Amino acid sequence: MTTGQMTDSTDPRAMARAVKEQLTGPGGPFELAEDDVLGSKLPVFTHRRRAMHELLAESVQHGDRDYIVTADSRLTFGEHAAQVASLARALREEYGVQPGDRVAIAAANSPEWIVTFWATVSIGAISVGYNAWWSARELAYGLQHATPTLVVADAKRAAQLEGSGVRVLTIEGDIPRLAGLHPDGPLPTSDVAEDDPAVILYTSGTSGRPKGATHSHRNLLSVAEYHRMNDALAAAFGDPTDPRDRTYLLVLPLFHIASLHNLAVPRLANGSKIALHTGAFDVDGVLRLIQDERVTNWGAVPTMANRLLAHGDLSSYDLSSLTAFSLASAPSSTAFQERLRNGLPFATNALVDSYGLTESSTAVSVATTADLKEDPGTLGYPIVGVQLEVRDAMDRPVPDGVEGEICVRSAYTMLGYWNDPAATAGAIGDDRWLHTGDLGIVREGRVRLSSRRSDLIIRGGENVYPAEVEGVLMEHPMVRECVVLGVPHEDLGQEVAAVVVTEAPLDAEQLGGFVGERLGHFKVPTQWRFTDRPLPRNATGKVIRREVAV
């Protein structure tokens, strides 16, 4: 049966299933077959690359096509490869970076961020993405935790690193210089294994310290192959667009999987263009970039989408090129999705939602436009290659429609948490099942989330774990007890609130400044309630959060 014959089916779901089976079945271009992954049999892409430098080498074929564009710069695939080759040689020869060494990036989004990433992973070193919103104290923790050989930082973060004792290369000066130092150098390679670490990205820690989710070459290359398969799937359904002619808007930080794993890496793999917005999120600047670069695809957090709605009339911009609009990184309600369809022309027939986490490297499940129409609030079906079970407190799978913890495993799942075997063992079993800590149900194959990790606050797409903020508050000598909660916010989705029991009078400005010196600004409570009454606790001494009023 040919693809053309399959697309004649009148049942869209059966047709999609048939097309996927042809693409991923025996002999298909994206054939999946079981193989050993860290001691477990998992479905893997048969025709996969084994190391990140292989993608870099293949990207040269796209030559003079644009890879990264900003409002005031352009970088072709050929230019990018040459810059990566030069920087990789400098990292090896001048700075002694060896396979397995960590090269950290502490910077806002820029083309140089991406060039540094590719140069690092292509020589077998590990790229560490530090959160650019971290305070100096959090950055110091990151240095101690990942022990990088050197740090690539922009001017703002470089100032925070003064006196740290670590070697710093600047985004604005050193990286452009080193990227042009060896203009005719060969592309880098390295003798790495598929399951060697390639990237460390930090996720806020439930116990108060950020954890370094460690992703392998296999993880990132599997994500790239998944995106290639989606391009093939679109073509099989009659989309005539050459994948290289698509332009993807990159607005979310590069220290997130949404931008790094699912944009920067796959775009290099398939020859499409990244329109990179630099600086703080600015509605007019983003809309201008969409218009000028004819952006076709945009993945936004709900806060960004909400700001588009609040902006009002968008008719002064030509947004006709935008045909794919997805929500990611934070939950969104069915009512909000309906507002987007009614208020944003490009969302009417293109809205997609998904569920994923840093530990999973990419989406766990995706809800298509048709899924959301048929089953509002769903997060769709698990993506190709993902095995998903909902389990009870005894770690047993539960029946269809029964709530439990969402557990997943796949070739996309992280290796574990860097330098934290206890946290790794708590999240991933010997059988490679990842316990997400998220509660949900599966009904007729579709995933629906009940609540994200207990107590997690998602503020504008950024994860804030109360334990981390509470730990800092308890360092203040006048704080006797405290609890940090998420409260609804029209623009951000949630904001951080704190109820504080004090030894002596304190005000929000004092305590907010104390927290702001130690944590990123997005973790600082914006709502406060001070009291001298003890917090309600259960028999084991834990605060009963549901009984606390902000």
Side-chain angles (χ1 to χ4, degrees):
M1 182 182 289
T2 67
T3 299
Q5 289 173 316
M6 286 191 293
T7 55
D8 291 336
S9 169
T10 55
D11 180 354
R13 195 175 302 166
M15 179 171 64
R17 227 175 8 248
V19 172
K20 284 182 181 177
E21 287 172 3
Q22 185 191 46
L23 291 172
T24 62
F30 299 93
E31 178 182 7
L32 283 171
E34 279 200 345
D35 199 359
D36 181 84
V37 179
L38 300 170
S40 293
K41 292 291 185 182
L42 294 176
V44 300
F45 290 107
T46 301
H47 311 297
R48 64 190 184 280
R49 286 78 184 154
R50 264 63 173 184
M52 292 291 284
H53 65 77
E54 295 178 28
L55 280 190
L56 178 68
E58 290 176 8
S59 73
V60 177
Q61 67 183 298
H62 305 303
D64 292 335
R65 300 183 73 96
D66 287 325
Y67 173 38
I68 308 167
V69 301
T70 69
D72 52 15
S73 70
R74 313 190 80 82
L75 186 68
T76 69
F77 283 90
E79 291 166 342
H80 172 262
Q83 289 190 16
V84 169
S86 178
L87 178 57
R89 180 175 171 182
L91 292 178
R92 272 177 167 160
E93 296 181 0
E94 295 186 37
Y95 297 95
V97 177
Q98 300 294 316
D101 286 349
R102 274 76 64 208
V103 174
I105 308 174
N109 286 1
S110 69
E112 290 78 14
W113 203 114
I114 298 174
V115 169
T116 301
F117 162 79
W118 280 108
T120 300
V121 298
S122 294
I123 60 174
I126 302 169
S127 180
V128 183
Y130 286 149
N131 189 317
W133 291 358
W134 272 354
S135 67
R137 169 169 150 157
E138 290 168 303
L139 192 52
Y141 168 77
L143 295 180
Q144 176 269 323
H145 182 259
T147 59
T149 299
L150 58 85
V151 178
V152 174
D154 57 21
K156 181 177 180 181
R157 263 54 62 164
Q160 291 180 307
L161 290 165
E162 287 181 5
S164 66
V166 69
R167 178 174 280 175
V168 176
L169 299 179
T170 60
I171 282 280
E172 297 86 353
D174 292 324
I175 297 304
R177 176 180 62 81
L178 296 172
L181 197 60
H182 308 287
D184 301 314
L187 290 174
T189 62
S190 182
D191 185 16
V192 294
E194 283 187 271
D195 294 310
D196 282 349
V199 179
I200 299 171
L201 295 183
Y202 282 86
T203 179
S204 295
T206 53
S207 59
R209 284 291 197 179
K211 293 182 292 187
T214 306
H215 302 119
S216 64
H217 288 258
R218 183 197 299 275
N219 293 154
L220 274 78
L221 292 165
S222 296
V223 173
E225 206 64 14
Y226 162 67
H227 281 273
R228 287 201 221 231
M229 192 217 68
N230 281 341
D231 289 336
L233 194 62
F237 274 93
D239 187 341
T241 308
D242 185 329
R244 296 176 301 171
D245 292 334
R246 294 195 180 99
T247 298
Y248 292 75
L249 183 66
L250 196 162
V251 182
L252 293 169
L254 281 159
F255 52 81
H256 280 190
I257 61 165
S259 288
L260 184 59
H261 297 42
N262 293 275
L263 257 177
V265 172
R267 296 319 119 216
L268 192 88
N270 71 1
S272 47
K273 181 173 68 176
I274 293 169
L276 176 65
H277 175 72
T278 57
F281 183 78
D282 164 61
V283 172
D284 286 302
V286 166
L287 294 177
R288 197 174 303 113
L289 192 60
I290 293 171
Q291 172 183 273
D292 294 349
E293 296 300 333
R294 306 298 295 159
V295 167
T296 57
N297 297 65
W298 182 13
V301 297
T303 297
M304 293 176 180
N306 190 56
R307 290 179 184 175
L308 286 177
L309 288 173
H311 188 269
D313 185 18
L314 307 179
S315 61
S316 58
Y317 295 97
D318 179 4
L319 307 177
S320 59
S321 61
L322 194 56
T323 55
F325 184 66
S326 60
L327 295 173
S329 300
S332 59
S333 67
T334 54
F336 178 68
Q337 292 175 8
E338 192 58 31
R339 283 179 59 212
L340 291 180
R341 293 187 191 97
N342 294 333
L344 303 178
F346 49 81
T348 305
N349 298 308
L351 188 63
V352 172
D353 203 358
S354 62
Y355 161 59
L357 52 161
T358 304
E359 291 85 347
S360 65
S361 296
T362 188
V364 166
S365 64
V366 172
T368 64
T369 303
D371 288 330
L372 293 174
K373 183 177 181 181
E374 187 177 314
D375 185 13
T378 184
L379 290 165
Y381 297 94
I383 70 167
V384 166
V386 166
Q387 300 171 347
L388 185 148
E389 291 181 354
V390 177
R391 298 184 178 180
D392 62 18
M394 301 298 291
D395 206 26
R396 298 170 301 198
V398 300
D400 201 55
V402 175
E403 184 184 81
E405 183 185 15
I406 296 173
C407 298
V408 298
R409 69 173 185 171
S410 71
Y412 313 116
T413 303
M414 69 169 185
L415 295 172
Y417 296 112
W418 183 260
N419 200 26
D420 198 338
T424 299
I428 302 177
D430 293 337
D431 54 4
R432 295 297 299 165
W433 280 97
L434 170 68
H435 290 252
T436 68
D438 296 330
L439 297 179
I441 62 172
V442 171
R443 184 176 286 119
E444 297 180 355
R446 286 195 181 109
V447 180
R448 185 177 289 265
L449 211 60
S450 307
S451 64
R452 298 209 68 154
R453 307 178 186 208
S454 59
D455 310 328
L456 175 66
I457 302 165
I458 303 181
R459 179 197 178 278
E462 289 290 335
N463 289 354
V464 180
Y465 279 95
E468 184 179 20
V469 185
E470 290 164 357
V472 169
L473 284 169
M474 290 303 297
E475 293 177 19
H476 195 286
M478 292 297 105
V479 173
R480 187 186 308 159
E481 351 173 45
C482 65
V483 63
V484 171
L485 306 163
V487 295
H489 187 277
E490 184 178 352
D491 182 36
L492 299 169
Q494 286 182 299
E495 62 180 330
V496 184
V499 177
V500 183
V501 181
T502 62
E503 298 280 0
L506 278 174
D507 61 36
E509 186 175 352
Q510 287 175 293
L511 212 44
F514 180 84
V515 176
E517 290 173 359
R518 292 158 175 80
L519 296 176
H521 70 88
F522 63 99
K523 300 175 186 176
V524 178
T526 51
Q527 288 196 31
W528 298 86
R529 182 167 73 84
F530 295 94
T531 180
D532 57 3
R533 300 183 61 183
L535 297 173
R537 295 181 181 272
N538 62 19
T540 63
K542 292 184 178 179
V543 175
I544 307 171
R545 308 177 84 84
R546 65 179 179 275
E547 295 184 8
V548 179
V550 177

